[in-house]
Amino acid sequence: MEQTQWKRSSKMWMVLACLMMSFFSSIESLSVTVNDVECVYEYVLYEGDTVSGNFVVVDHDIFWGSDHPGIDFTVTSPAGNTVNNIKGTSGDKFQFKAPTHGMYKFCFHNPHSTPETVSFYIHVGHIPSEHDLAKDEHLDPINVKIAELREALESVTAEQKYLKARDARHRHTNESTRKRVVFYTVGEYLLLAGVSALQVIYIRRLFSKSVAYNRV
Amino acid sequence: MSDSTPLLAFLTLALMCGFTNSMRFELRSGLTKCIAEDIKNNAMTVGKYSVVNPNEDHPIPDNHKLVVKVSSPSGNSYHYGDHVESGNFAFTAAESGDYTTCFWIPESKDNPIVTIDFEWRTGIAAKDWSKVAKKGQVEIMEFELKKLFDTVQSIHDEMFYLREREEEMQELNKSTTSKMFTFSFLSIVVCLSVASLQLWHLKSFFERKKLL
């Protein structure tokens, strides 16, 4: 998604000539199932842009399994350096300043064999700096303020998406707990009844006529 | 100062082409990758996908073409693309839930890994702002502030939705604990009744056998 912000100008050809001054891109919160490694690429246009985001792991089937160790998250810059690395977590927020512009790689690695669904949101935000202000006379300081306001609202939106994803995971956990409670309790009853029936049958056999001659 | 047509034309052109920042991922042929998005009822959603051409000169080979399917949480298909290299879809969600977009490349000899460029926007981000800008004398700054206002509205709505969800979850938790409570009592009842049944049965059995 891109937004362009233009400064109103009386001279048409100057507006036509002026470049994109401030814009940002983001992707909505998407969820991908991670089997081994899943990578998502996002293009960062300007050096110094703040890349922020969050991700939450929604467990697939925690009915029988024990605690999943979590997934690893790695951000690689276009030059190949690891910018950010989070290991063994079930969800986290991240934010960093992009050292260069280019295609950044966001990778999720699942160390276990069970597939996990990851809900993530990545946002690249750009605020025109003093340098941009000096470069283009059509850029007003108010554009900087508007960009800052937009970035602040974006951070609120990102937080909301994170909370929503966490809420989904908690709901998943609670529903599975409920199912497990019912299943285990009913199983316990059946087991109890079965064991006592077996006990009765055994005691009866001990005292039955065919055996009595040999044992009791 | 009103915006004249060539400026608007350039603006809309710039909005449509140029720097389309969207998500990219790799897909190996024969595998299916699905991306899901939680969309609320009556929300507008717009999606655009395309295969990234590794070399600009040649056209995209046939074994790189995608099969795309967009489906609703109940299974209805909203968009289907068969052996396409790019496409887009737009619809209004009829029900709230997880909508999935699945990409698949048919198996072929050289097993290529294809990079797909995908963009999916819902709700406020899916609104077509170029149309609003065209509507008469809208100043650019006013336009920006209008966008911010809409964003704030959507944040407000989202807060209400989150609050509702939390309330639902609290209800679920309460009902789970009350269920656990009744089941524990029931388990004591079952235990005692099974033990007394055993006792009664064995007593009558031994009395019949004249052992007691």
Side-chain angles (χ1 to χ4, degrees):
Chain A
M1 177 173 99
E2 47 149 284
Q3 308 274 331
T4 53
Q5 182 181 314
W6 299 80
K7 176 73 174 88
R8 185 170 56 89
S9 162
S10 53
K11 294 192 183 136
M12 204 170 56
W13 71 80
M14 277 171 102
V15 174
L16 284 173
C18 84
L19 308 164
M20 314 281 189
M21 262 155 271
S22 82
F23 55 114
F24 62 94
S25 64
S26 71
I27 44 174
E28 298 300 311
S29 54
L30 302 167
S31 51
V32 188
T33 306
V34 181
N35 270 312
D36 189 17
V37 178
E38 281 293 335
C39 288
V40 170
Y41 299 86
E42 181 90 8
Y43 194 77
V44 176
L45 274 147
Y46 290 102
E47 173 192 329
D49 277 354
T50 313
V51 181
S52 61
N54 51 62
F55 66 96
V56 170
V57 179
V58 180
D59 293 322
H60 252 225
D61 224 337
I62 53 177
F63 198 92
W64 291 114
S66 56
D67 279 324
H68 197 266
I71 61 165
D72 306 328
F73 175 69
T74 318
V75 183
T76 317
S77 75
N81 315 323
T82 307
V83 178
N84 206 339
N85 195 358
I86 303 173
K87 280 200 174 302
T89 170
S90 61
D92 208 351
K93 295 194 275 190
F94 62 89
Q95 185 177 340
F96 63 90
K97 218 162 170 197
T100 50
H101 66 97
M103 192 68 92
Y104 279 76
K105 190 159 90 161
F106 301 84
C107 283
F108 301 100
H109 170 243
N110 183 8
H112 260 217
S113 52
T114 50
E116 300 288 328
T117 305
V118 175
S119 228
F120 63 92
Y121 175 72
I122 302 172
H123 170 69
V124 179
H126 175 79
I127 297 176
S129 61
E130 291 296 320
H131 181 65
D132 295 326
L133 274 178
K135 244 201 311 200
D136 195 347
E137 66 237 25
H138 299 286
L139 198 56
D140 219 357
I142 199 168
N143 288 67
V144 180
K145 285 296 167 192
I146 288 179
E148 281 177 15
L149 191 60
R150 184 165 47 217
E151 285 304 304
L153 284 180
E154 276 296 326
S155 75
V156 176
T157 313
E159 186 76 23
Q160 277 190 328
K161 289 194 202 286
Y162 183 54
L163 290 175
K164 191 159 125 177
R166 288 238 295 219
D167 173 85
R169 194 182 69 196
H170 291 159
R171 177 178 286 244
H172 206 88
T173 310
N174 286 339
E175 279 173 3
S176 139
T177 304
R178 186 198 180 84
K179 266 193 266 184
R180 275 186 290 176
V181 161
V182 174
F183 186 81
Y184 289 155
T185 321
V186 170
E188 180 193 324
Y189 295 164
L190 290 174
L191 202 67
L192 198 62
V195 160
S196 65
L198 275 170
Q199 274 182 325
V200 167
I201 289 171
Y202 184 66
I203 291 173
R204 279 177 72 131
R205 251 169 53 90
L206 278 176
F207 289 94
S208 77
K209 269 211 186 104
S210 56
V211 185
Y213 290 127
N214 304 329
R215 293 169 122 265
V216 182
Chain B
M1 187 70 187
S2 64
D3 289 320
S4 43
T5 347
L7 165 66
L8 285 171
F10 183 63
L11 180 71
T12 48
L13 200 68
L15 281 171
M16 285 189 297
C17 72
F19 311 89
T20 41
N21 286 347
S22 47
M23 180 181 92
R24 273 190 195 193
F25 58 94
E26 285 167 350
L27 179 61
R28 190 180 276 276
S29 70
L31 295 179
T32 311
K33 269 203 193 164
C34 289
I35 296 185
E37 168 110 28
D38 190 26
I39 303 178
K40 287 206 258 305
N41 194 7
N42 287 332
M44 256 293 290
T45 180
V46 163
K48 203 161 37 170
Y49 55 89
S50 63
V51 176
V52 171
N53 198 353
N55 43 350
E56 296 292 326
D57 314 326
H58 311 291
I60 292 178
D62 212 25
N63 63 353
H64 281 218
K65 300 222 174 181
L66 301 168
V67 175
V68 182
K69 189 159 159 39
V70 180
S71 38
S72 75
S74 57
N76 304 332
S77 173
Y78 274 95
H79 173 81
Y80 183 71
D82 199 0
H83 282 92
V84 289
E85 42 180 80
S86 69
N88 52 41
F89 56 88
F91 58 89
T92 310
E95 51 186 319
S96 53
D98 273 329
Y99 285 75
T100 46
T101 305
C102 288
F103 297 91
W104 177 63
I105 297 180
E107 284 265 11
S108 62
K109 275 190 291 182
D110 53 338
N111 230 13
I113 299 178
V114 180
T115 309
I116 301 172
D117 196 78
F118 182 52
E119 201 181 327
W120 198 354
R121 297 183 257 147
T122 57
I124 180 87
K127 208 162 155 185
D128 194 4
W129 290 105
S130 56
K131 283 213 190 83
V132 179
K134 260 194 229 167
K135 267 201 207 121
Q137 282 96 16
V138 180
E139 294 202 8
I140 301 298
M141 204 108 33
E142 192 181 320
F143 176 63
E144 286 295 313
L145 290 175
K146 208 168 165 36
K147 272 196 275 188
L148 289 178
F149 183 68
D150 278 344
T151 313
V152 169
Q153 290 271 33
S154 79
I155 288 176
H156 199 200
D157 291 335
E158 189 82 11
M159 292 271 294
F160 284 133
Y161 172 70
L162 282 175
R163 216 191 280 179
E164 257 176 45
R165 293 268 294 196
E166 181 143 356
E167 204 174 306
E168 274 175 37
M169 194 152 71
Q170 252 189 330
E171 286 300 322
L172 185 73
N173 280 344
K174 264 195 233 169
S175 89
T176 306
T177 47
S178 73
K179 250 201 173 153
M180 263 170 58
F181 186 65
T182 48
F183 273 158
S184 319
F185 264 128
L186 210 64
S187 82
I188 294 175
V189 165
V190 163
C191 195
L192 287 173
S193 69
V194 155
S196 57
L197 256 170
Q198 254 188 333
L199 253 160
W200 168 80
H201 180 82
L202 283 173
K203 193 159 154 131
S204 68
F205 173 70
F206 284 141
E207 275 170 357
R208 261 190 295 130
K209 294 284 175 182
K210 310 237 180 349
L211 286 166
L212 264 176

